[in-house]
Amino acid sequence: MILKNAIYGLAAGALCVSCSLDYEPIDTYSDLTYTTEASDDEEEVVFPDKASVESYMQKIYKQLNERQEHWYLDLLLIAEAHSDNAYAGTTGAEVVPYEDNSIDGSNSVLNRDWNRYLEDVALANKLVVNIDKVADGSLSEADALEYKAQAQIFRSMIWFEMVRLWGNIPVIKTIAADITADNIEESYEAYFPAQNTIAEAYSTIEADLLEAVKYAPDQTSDKTKLTKNVARTLLAKMYAEKPIRDYTKVIEYVDAITAEGFELVDDLNTIFGFDDETKDAVARNTKESILEVQFFPGSGNWATWMFGRNLANWDENFTWAKWVTPSRDLIKLYESQGDTKRMEQSIVYYECTWSNYYPMETYPFMYKLRSGNNSIIKFRYADVLLLKAEALIAQGKLSDAASIINQVRKRAGLGILDSSVANNADDLLDAYLDERRMELAFEGQRWFDLVRLDKVEKVMNAVYAKDSGRTAQRNLFNENSYLMPLPQAVLDANENLIQNPGY
């Protein structure tokens, strides 16, 4: 009650004069607003005209482009180093717990992610809530629906990441008003909301995306836009998750994406490659890319030097150990399958000055982000195509599922699955998981695959014994390991939040 009493005191002390809190989880992002003051009998104007809406929409895209820590850097740490794909990479206290399974609420990575995700939601909410109130009438209904759809896709993408990480989360759809002594009761709940259940979160995501898929921009050659196909991708991925799982709808939305012309490129280097002569990415906007964030010479991404070398600037920031070091267990899988093509696109060896996990002369690094000029691929067709195979396995359509897996294997230069595997549901599911692991390594999928298919205990409690390079396991994985702990600082600030079991 300390926080609540403090807020009551703040409101009373202000003698009914409007005030704001220092900590505003609903609307923390406020460096770009168009709000104009309103009199007591007028509604506040957030967007005075169409130009202000367009500018604000670009701010949302800029947020996706510039703030790579939570939705890419940290997500890879969790999905790869907290699974059997990778080691933490460094000895830092903020990253080692993902490798040895000792994560708790004090972890600075999770604290950063929680706050930044909510800042992203707040950014989207401002547009969603106010798009219908453009003051001068210059925004057509069609334009308003299209801008709103893009903001809905953006916040749905954030909610989707949050619910997979933490389970019960506050699903915030409003903008908090200033606190006064008259509205303290309602304002407290707005600034410090309770959690929604996982089912409630997915229901809200579903509603947003079903509306957005009607009005979002159609697909163009520009894969940086939040289009109908990004909404379809999120719907397909969402419907594969518990407790909302609906594999029929997974297939429906993957088929809709396929009908839009998406397909596998012939060579993965087209997606992830770097051209040494031009010092630029080999390609952008490929037929396999659904959503990517693009960077160009002169204004490249910075995340690349967190994982390895920046091939556009060979020695830049290469004096300290990198995050997400490929594991021996993953390398062994590639080698046992004879999968040299995908291994070469996923892992590269350099000489370095540290030896945390391997001899410094031949040290492996993740290779899916090779330079400051390469795109970060958020969603690509191979992911959702394989997700359709998962749905088909669940429906008992093993032949159709094996056909999809074989399609992906063919691109990798591998033979088709043995008939004994293709005709056995359990064996085919294991082969499917191996296929996703090899195809999507270092793209932020592995941990969530294990969670979605209830494989965490089986896979992760066994890997420490067979992978000699992993840091010793601190805690066994159990039924409470499927979700991350809520940050303790967030719990301290909001008495309505409840920590996940086991932490």
Side-chain angles (χ1 to χ4, degrees), residues 7 90 101 131 176 186 200 254 307 326 400 414 421 426 436:
I7 296 175
T90 77
N101 195 31
I131 190 67
E186 61 225 56
E200 288 170 341
V254 175
F307 301 120
D400 291 339
L414 303 179
V421 173
D426 290 338
R436 281 187 65 86

Side-chain angles (χ1 to χ4, degrees), residues 225-271:
K225 298 304 179 184
L226 296 166
T227 64
K228 288 180 171 65
N229 286 311
V230 177
R232 292 179 180 121
T233 297
L234 282 164
L235 283 163
K237 291 174 77 67
M238 179 201 71
Y239 283 126
E241 297 286 336
K242 306 184 296 290
I244 198 174
R245 179 170 292 159
D246 186 335
Y247 278 130
T248 298
K249 289 184 177 178
V250 172
I251 294 170
E252 174 188 342
Y253 283 104
V254 175
D255 286 348
I257 294 167
T258 303
E260 289 280 300
F262 289 87
E263 57 183 319
L264 303 179
V265 299
D266 294 333
D267 184 350
L268 277 174
N269 192 63
T270 305
I271 300 174

Side-chain angles (χ1 to χ4, degrees), residues 46-47 53-54 125-135 139-141 143-149:
V46 176
F47 299 116
V53 175
E54 292 176 337
N125 283 347
K126 183 164 286 187
L127 191 142
V128 173
V129 170
N130 295 290
I131 190 67
D132 298 325
K133 306 170 187 175
V134 175
L139 190 69
S140 71
E141 181 181 1
D143 285 343
L145 288 169
E146 184 172 292
Y147 286 124
K148 181 180 179 181

Side-chain angles (χ1 to χ4, degrees), residues 178-439:
D178 287 346
I179 294 176
T180 71
D182 294 330
N183 70 6
I184 181 65
E185 285 287 351
E186 61 225 56
S187 294
Y188 178 81
E189 297 299 327
Y191 276 90
F192 298 98
Q195 290 146 291
N196 296 88
T197 66
I198 295 173
E200 288 170 341
Y202 277 126
S203 179
T204 305
I205 294 169
E206 179 185 33
D208 251 16
L209 291 173
L210 289 177
E211 181 177 355
V213 80
K214 298 176 185 178
Y215 303 113
D218 292 327
Q219 191 63 57
T220 68
S221 60
D222 184 357
K223 302 298 181 69
T224 68
K225 298 304 179 184
L226 296 166
T227 64
K228 288 180 171 65
N229 286 311
V230 177
R232 292 179 180 121
T233 297
L234 282 164
L235 283 163
K237 291 174 77 67
M238 179 201 71
Y239 283 126
E241 297 286 336
K242 306 184 296 290
I244 198 174
R245 179 170 292 159
D246 186 335
Y247 278 130
T248 298
K249 289 184 177 178
V250 172
I251 294 170
E252 174 188 342
Y253 283 104
V254 175
D255 286 348
I257 294 167
T258 303
E260 289 280 300
F262 289 87
E263 57 183 319
L264 303 179
V265 299
D266 294 333
D267 184 350
L268 277 174
N269 192 63
T270 305
I271 300 174
F272 300 107
F274 179 78
D275 189 321
D276 285 325
E277 292 186 4
T278 64
K279 299 299 180 183
D280 199 1
V282 167
R284 300 179 179 88
N285 302 311
T286 70
K287 61 185 178 181
E288 189 166 339
S289 176
I290 298 173
L291 178 65
E292 63 185 72
V293 180
Q294 296 176 356
F295 307 91
F296 300 89
S299 59
N301 73 72
W302 57 263
T304 181
W305 47 257
M306 290 296 295
F307 301 120
R309 285 194 182 278
N310 175 10
L311 296 188
N313 189 351
W314 183 257
D315 291 320
E316 181 186 32
N317 291 293
F318 200 68
T319 59
W320 40 271
K322 304 302 179 181
W323 287 21
V324 187
T325 298
S327 72
R328 290 169 176 82
D329 192 65
L330 176 63
I331 293 171
K332 182 179 178 181
L333 176 64
Y334 280 123
E335 292 175 343
S336 68
Q337 293 279 330
D339 192 355
T340 56
K341 285 189 176 182
R342 286 187 295 199
M343 183 175 175
E344 289 173 354
Q345 293 299 319
S346 303
I347 300 170
V348 67
Y349 289 84
Y350 298 127
E351 183 177 359
C352 62
T353 58
W354 57 92
S355 56
N356 294 342
Y357 297 93
Y358 296 92
M360 62 180 67
E361 294 80 12
T362 54
Y363 209 91
F365 297 85
M366 66 152 278
Y367 201 41
K368 287 286 178 72
L369 186 64
R370 302 178 190 178
S371 82
N373 303 331
N374 280 87
S375 296
I376 293 175
I377 309 296
K378 181 63 177 176
F379 299 129
R380 68 179 175 102
Y381 182 65
D383 173 21
V384 293
L385 180 63
L386 285 170
L387 206 59
K388 179 181 177 180
E390 179 182 316
L392 291 167
I393 293 171
Q395 294 181 343
K397 300 174 182 177
L398 304 189
S399 177
D400 291 339
S403 179
I404 289 175
I405 295 171
N406 286 333
Q407 181 183 347
V408 178
R409 289 174 63 83
K410 181 179 178 181
R411 197 252 302 268
L414 303 179
I416 65 173
L417 295 171
D418 188 271
S419 60
S420 64
V421 173
N423 294 321
N424 181 286
D426 290 338
D427 290 345
L428 185 58
L429 184 62
D430 288 341
Y432 161 78
L433 275 169
D434 282 346
E435 205 61 39
R436 281 187 65 86
R437 190 181 179 194
M438 293 183 289
E439 176 69 27

Side-chain angles (χ1 to χ4, degrees), residues 34 47-58 134 136 138-139 147:
Y34 297 95
F47 299 116
D49 51 32
K50 180 179 179 179
S52 64
V53 175
E54 292 176 337
S55 181
Y56 194 82
M57 190 71 244
Q58 291 308 307
V134 175
D136 69 350
S138 60
L139 190 69
Y147 286 124

